Amino acid sequence: MTLVVTGLGSVIGSWIGGLMVDKLGNKRTLIISAASIGLSGLLIIFGLSQLRLFTIFSFILGLGLGSFMSAPLQVIAGRMAGKGNRVQAIGGYPPPKNWCHRCTNCLRLRYSIKCE
């Protein structure tokens, strides 16, 4: 049961971590996440005798673990992937095969206009 609570916390924490990365940046998100992981790890020791406290601290641990993964994944996807693969690296759709990177609205697809 406690692993289920930690897993649910990590799912919610990854969403919260994504919001934190957008608002606070990668570095602050990592610091806050690491602090919550460390703090909840210490508090779990004190909650071993009571199931309710252990479950709450396990959920907080999951929140920290989930938000901890948001910042590194964006850094890895953004910096390690090549320029043409960045959208695919973070789970987006790839551009069409006949995409012209110089046109902002690539009219070539719709009106068969050739780009130079």
Side-chain angles (χ1 to χ4, degrees):
M1 173 161 157
T2 57
L3 290 177
V4 172
V5 172
T6 306
L8 288 174
S10 67
V11 169
I12 296 169
S14 63
W15 178 70
I16 292 171
L19 296 175
M20 287 172 52
V21 167
D22 292 340
K23 300 285 182 184
L24 303 174
N26 291 331
K27 188 175 181 180
R28 287 186 181 169
T29 302
L30 285 174
I31 291 170
I32 293 169
S33 301
S36 69
I37 290 170
L39 181 64
S40 64
L42 290 174
L43 292 174
I44 282 176
I45 295 170
F46 298 115
L48 285 176
S49 60
Q50 297 178 5
L51 182 62
R52 187 172 289 160
L53 284 176
F54 186 76
T55 306
I56 291 169
F57 297 145
S58 295
F59 182 76
I60 295 170
L61 176 71
L63 288 174
L65 290 172
S67 62
F68 191 77
M69 288 309 298
S70 299
L73 287 179
Q74 287 188 3
V75 171
I76 290 169
R79 292 186 182 167
M80 301 289 278
K83 285 186 177 182
N85 296 329
R86 285 189 182 151
V87 174
Q88 289 175 317
I90 59 172
Y93 290 114
K97 297 281 185 202
N98 54 353
W99 177 261
C100 177
H101 292 284
R102 286 176 258 158
C103 298
T104 55
N105 291 329
C106 200
L107 299 173
R108 179 169 77 157
L109 291 173
R110 183 173 286 168
Y111 301 109
S112 298
I113 298 172
K114 290 186 178 182
C115 296
E116 297 159 9

